[in-house]
Amino acid sequence: MALPIYADPLERIWYYSYRVICALIFIFLIAPILIIMPLSFNVEPYFTFTPEMLRLDPDGYSMRWYDNLLTFGMAAPDALRDGSWWADAWANAKWIQAAKNSIIVGFFSTIVATVLGTIAAMGLSRPEMPFRKLIMAILISPMIVPIIITATGLFFFYSDIGLSGTYFGLVMAHATLGIPFVIITVTATMMGFDRSLIRAAQNMGAGPVTTFFKVQLPLITPGVVSGALFAFVTSFDEVVVVLFVGSHEQQTIPRQMWNGIREQISPSILAVATILVIFSICLLTVVELLRRRSERLRGVTPA
Amino acid sequence: MAATDTQPDDPQVLRTVDGVPLKTALAVASRRARIRAFFLVVPLLVFILLTFAVPIGQMLSRSFTDDKFSANMVELGKWFDANGKAAPDEAAYAALAADLKTASEEKTAGNIGTRINYELPGTRSLFTSAARKAKDLEPPFKEAILALDPQWARADLWAAMRSASAAATLNFYQAALDRQIGADGNFEAAPENVQIYVKLFIRTFVMSVVITGLCLLLGFPVAHLLAVLPLRHASLLMILVLLPFWTSLLVRTTSWMVLLQSQGVVNDLLVALGVITTDGRLEMMYNQTGTIIAMTHILLPFMILPLYSVMKTIPPSYARAARSLGATSWTTFRRIYLPQTVSGIGAGGILCFILAVGYYITPALVGGADGTLISNQIAFHMQKSLNWSLAAALAAMLLAAVLILYWAYDRLVGIDNMKLG
């Protein structure tokens, strides 16, 4: 959008002020996420930049809050850091426990959501699918219905059937929350899928299973993987359902953060937040690469 | 089909090799294809029904029922069935005494009191203390019970017990609309100082409108810039939109808590710039300001992405044509560009609004007393006051509002057009 030559002075002023406004909005979007990174290295237990930090004095920075993440909850945090210290950390540290729980629940709920979601998306993307709109509306509703309502419903339901406080119940609940994302991303990929390829495969004698694994799946894999990543992130970031149906032992990272923020917010939370931001940068990169790959596979070139 | 069967040799009808009319064969084949497509969806549909629809349906049914009183006060229930709205007589007090005795044996007096306490705050102890002394009660029961506590003669207490003696009730919806049982046994508006839910619903809607408006105000220029820049630059800037979208909600809320604290970065910056003095640090957290700022930040990508996908399809030649026909840049924007973005504004606006209305985490952490929304009240009744039926009634009303918006979204945008990133 270059400035046209016929622009009058007022338009010139607007052209540049518009860019400045946009820059400010981008800062609003990104600054809160970036600003916690340096703050998590603060020596002092404050949430603001100390004069030492501003002078870039190395004494103003430390890893103490990251260290705190490891030692919190350990049996003997002050022991010599040898093999048994690390074993202690692996077994007892609260944040490591939380990470383990988050990964277990996230992994299994992603599998459930991705498998069921992909199969359903294949049905939904067929032109002959009956009641397509209604079914789509039902399948996407877990994303639209406020999480507190879902959590309340699950709380009653799980206490009645004895699933509250179980990993199975938690995995099922998180899978439900992740399914809309899988449906949306996979149907979007399927829409660009050339259905004559299926007919060509069948013409050459491939059965439905061979057609799926040899023709369809390789082309839709990028969409399925980004759907799976969305589902994983949804589970990894979910706190309300865990609070309502999880047992006391089922501390996940978001739940541990939630407790930390509610009770006494310490810079350890910022250290966790920084790690999570780096994690989401990695995820975003993967999704972006997958999107490009998908476009390349389907012959769409960026203009 | 019947017509074709009676004329087997009609040369007009095309047939397959097996002699089936082509039309029938096609219908059978397409029905089979429809069933095949449907069967692919069935597993997920059953899964969603079990883990989502059934729990929510069960919760909704709970908002209409509460048997804490009716299941434990059997005798009194019978008396109410027989006598309706009659003033309580000796038989009624006898039934009450019998029920209280059973309650003290089965240790259910607390539950019974809790149920009445929902309707008439402060009456729980009436039941628990009466149940403790129930086994010493002698006829005449009316005098004996009134001797325990003269409050037992209260007309509104009997009205509350009458309405609680049936498990099915609309009382929780009445309570969610700030209405209570009056002395005459009918519903009336609750006193001004205890009316909270209608105000909370209004506040939730007003704040959601403000947040959606702010998202539109901030999202529109950014989406436009992304749509008109060359793709290479746009995809770099897009990362700045997508990174917040992918970042954990709790992380974003935490950052705002850190930034907005009275000793936080924003206040420090304003003091350093001389905008405010050290004593005049702004209170931006634990109030509505905090909730609005943090939620605008969190929901902004949900506005930018739909707007961007609509703006990208608008051909720039329309605007150029308008300019060459003599329109000023403002007229071009207002008459040519803006009308073409309306569907994106609708999509992003409704999506932001739906998400804002039901938001829980951010208001709970940065909202304080006056920045909380209806979701927080539902959580309060679930976890603290344990009035689950009232929580369910509030949830049902919120759900109804969200479903209406969802339906509007579907009509306006179409659910199949929803995109992520």
Side-chain angles (χ1 to χ4, degrees):
Chain A
M1 191 188 64
L3 193 60
I5 40 168
Y6 49 80
D8 56 37
L10 200 65
E11 282 176 6
R12 270 167 212 283
I13 295 171
W14 170 243
Y15 177 83
Y16 291 109
S17 41
Y18 175 68
R19 305 248 151 166
V20 172
I21 291 169
C22 284
L24 289 176
I25 298 171
F26 279 120
I27 291 172
F28 171 74
L29 268 170
I30 207 76
I33 293 169
L34 297 183
I35 210 143
I36 51 171
M37 292 187 167
L39 282 178
S40 69
F41 294 98
N42 200 341
V43 163
E44 308 289 337
Y46 305 138
F47 295 105
T48 191
F49 290 94
T50 56
E52 290 83 20
M53 293 183 87
L54 291 176
R55 271 188 270 117
L56 296 179
D57 184 344
D59 292 343
Y61 295 86
S62 85
M63 293 290 284
R64 68 180 274 205
W65 305 112
Y66 290 87
D67 199 58
N68 205 19
L69 288 187
L70 272 178
T71 53
F72 181 56
M74 274 174 65
D78 299 323
L80 193 68
R81 300 210 168 182
D82 52 11
S84 64
W85 188 89
W86 285 104
D88 184 12
W90 179 251
N92 294 321
K94 285 260 162 51
W95 284 103
I96 291 179
Q97 292 300 319
K100 283 186 204 164
N101 279 333
S102 276
I103 290 170
I104 291 170
V105 173
F107 178 77
F108 286 107
S109 60
T110 304
I111 301 265
V112 174
T114 312
V115 170
L116 288 177
T118 307
I119 295 173
M122 279 169 43
L124 284 170
S125 63
R126 293 195 177 182
E128 65 266 19
M129 179 69 203
F131 314 115
R132 186 162 182 283
K133 257 193 125 135
L134 179 70
I135 290 174
M136 194 87 171
I138 293 172
L139 297 184
I140 291 182
S141 57
M143 190 175 103
I144 296 293
V145 169
I147 185 71
I148 193 85
I149 295 181
T150 316
T152 306
L154 285 171
F155 172 79
F156 293 133
F157 186 62
Y158 279 5
S159 7
D160 283 356
I161 62 172
L163 271 183
S164 51
T166 62
Y167 278 97
F168 179 74
L170 213 51
V171 165
M172 291 297 122
H174 279 186
T176 309
L177 295 174
I179 276 167
F181 297 97
V182 178
I183 294 278
I184 291 174
T185 41
V186 179
T187 35
T189 322
M190 294 271 193
M191 285 303 166
F193 181 77
D194 185 356
R195 297 195 61 83
S196 56
L197 291 177
I198 295 180
R199 267 173 255 135
Q202 284 168 348
N203 240 356
M204 294 181 207
V209 177
T210 320
T211 315
F212 175 71
F213 281 105
K214 292 274 176 191
V215 179
Q216 225 169 343
L217 195 61
L219 282 168
I220 61 167
T221 299
V224 174
V225 176
S226 18
L229 286 177
F230 261 114
F232 184 77
V233 168
T234 309
S235 163
F236 205 72
D237 193 20
E238 206 291 319
V239 61
V240 184
V241 169
V242 183
L243 282 173
F244 273 71
V245 307
S247 69
H248 189 67
E249 286 75 44
Q250 290 172 325
Q251 293 289 346
T252 58
I253 290 181
R255 185 173 183 181
Q256 187 90 8
M257 275 186 89
W258 171 271
N259 292 341
I261 297 169
R262 294 217 107 173
E263 285 155 19
Q264 166 86 74
I265 176 165
S266 88
S268 298
I269 298 287
L270 296 190
V272 181
T274 305
I275 294 170
L276 289 181
V277 170
I278 292 167
F279 179 65
S280 46
I281 291 175
C282 299
L283 280 177
L284 178 63
T285 316
V286 174
V287 171
E288 190 61 21
L289 290 176
L290 282 170
R291 198 180 56 80
R292 295 203 178 158
R293 184 180 150 77
S294 165
E295 280 177 354
R296 219 177 29 245
L297 277 175
R298 286 192 276 140
V300 187
T301 44
Chain B
M1 241 170 85
T4 53
D5 287 344
T6 52
Q7 305 162 297
D9 301 318
D10 185 351
Q12 294 291 301
V13 178
L14 293 172
R15 282 167 193 280
T16 62
V17 184
D18 322 329
V20 186
L22 206 54
K23 214 172 168 184
T24 317
L26 186 66
V28 169
S30 72
R31 191 178 325 123
R32 209 172 286 148
R34 283 158 60 99
I35 290 170
R36 254 208 306 272
F38 189 70
F39 265 98
L40 286 173
V41 182
V42 164
L44 185 59
L45 213 50
V46 171
F47 183 83
I48 291 275
L49 281 180
L50 277 182
T51 59
F52 186 70
V54 171
I56 288 181
Q58 199 194 23
M59 179 201 73
L60 294 184
S61 77
R62 189 178 284 263
S63 69
F64 295 104
T65 55
D66 191 317
D67 63 356
K68 282 205 277 292
F69 186 91
S70 56
N72 296 315
M73 299 290 263
V74 182
E75 296 299 322
L76 200 55
K78 283 181 194 153
W79 186 85
F80 281 125
D81 289 342
N83 295 282
K85 289 200 174 188
D89 54 11
E90 174 61 21
Y93 280 98
L96 176 63
D99 282 336
L100 285 174
K101 202 164 161 225
T102 330
S104 92
E105 282 157 10
E106 291 172 4
K107 299 199 166 42
T108 52
N111 285 343
I112 298 166
T114 305
R115 172 70 186 88
I116 301 301
N117 202 56
Y118 295 156
E119 318 283 343
L120 296 171
T123 53
R124 189 174 182 273
S125 59
L126 209 57
F127 285 86
T128 49
S129 68
R132 266 199 300 280
K133 296 167 194 150
K135 64 177 188 300
D136 303 329
L137 289 174
E138 299 284 341
F141 288 109
K142 183 165 182 181
E143 278 77 40
I145 290 176
L146 289 183
L148 289 180
D149 197 319
Q151 285 201 63
W152 283 106
R154 277 168 65 181
D156 53 354
L157 178 66
W158 282 88
M161 289 200 290
R162 187 185 313 116
S163 85
S165 66
T169 174
L170 282 176
N171 287 9
F172 298 106
Y173 285 91
Q174 298 278 3
L177 292 169
D178 288 333
R179 294 166 67 80
Q180 64 177 29
I181 292 181
D184 56 353
N186 293 322
F187 283 101
E188 60 183 27
E192 195 78 18
N193 57 339
V194 294
Q195 289 189 7
I196 46 172
Y197 301 113
V198 173
K199 273 188 210 150
L200 195 59
F201 269 109
I202 294 172
R203 186 208 286 165
T204 304
F205 275 83
V206 170
M207 281 179 68
S208 304
V209 169
V210 170
I211 290 162
T212 309
L214 281 174
C215 282
L216 181 61
L217 200 68
L218 298 180
F220 195 91
V222 167
H224 176 251
L225 186 75
L226 289 172
V228 296
L229 278 182
L231 199 65
R232 192 188 307 274
H233 301 207
S235 50
L236 276 180
L237 286 176
M238 200 58 166
I239 291 172
L240 302 184
V241 179
L242 289 177
L243 184 59
F245 186 69
W246 276 91
T247 304
S248 160
L249 230 153
L250 280 168
V251 169
R252 285 181 278 169
T253 308
T254 312
S255 344
W256 280 110
M257 292 176 78
V258 168
L259 285 172
L260 297 179
Q261 281 188 348
S262 61
Q263 299 296 324
V265 175
V266 172
N267 267 318
D268 280 0
L269 197 68
L270 289 176
V271 170
L273 291 174
V275 181
I276 52 172
T277 60
T278 317
D279 304 328
R281 283 171 178 268
L282 302 175
E283 288 291 334
M284 289 180 290
M285 208 168 63
Y286 304 125
N287 55 26
Q288 287 190 10
T289 321
T291 309
I292 289 175
I293 295 177
M295 281 180 65
T296 305
H297 177 252
I298 288 165
L299 295 178
L300 195 49
F302 290 98
M303 178 67 89
I304 294 176
L305 295 175
L307 269 178
Y308 168 73
S309 64
V310 167
M311 284 174 174
K312 220 170 51 170
T313 61
I314 299 175
S317 51
Y318 291 177
R320 276 189 228 121
R323 289 304 301 268
S324 73
L325 291 169
T328 61
S329 50
W330 169 240
T331 313
T332 312
F333 172 75
R334 192 170 55 87
R335 301 280 301 273
I336 305 297
Y337 194 75
L338 197 58
Q340 295 184 80
T341 61
V342 166
S343 65
I345 294 175
I350 297 181
L351 195 59
C352 278
F353 192 80
I354 290 178
L355 295 174
V357 163
Y359 233 70
Y360 171 66
I361 293 170
T362 308
L365 292 176
V366 298
D370 67 343
T372 51
L373 305 179
I374 199 75
S375 287
N376 305 91
Q377 196 66 30
I378 297 174
F380 168 77
H381 283 303
M382 285 299 296
Q383 295 173 316
K384 298 275 163 59
S385 83
L386 303 183
N387 189 350
W388 290 345
S389 294
L390 181 58
L394 289 170
M397 289 159 73
L398 176 62
L399 183 65
V402 167
L403 288 183
I404 292 171
L405 289 165
Y406 188 36
W407 174 80
Y409 182 87
D410 185 33
R411 290 299 300 271
L412 199 74
V413 195
I415 292 161
D416 1 11
N417 293 332
M418 199 182 270
K419 286 200 192 70
L420 298 164

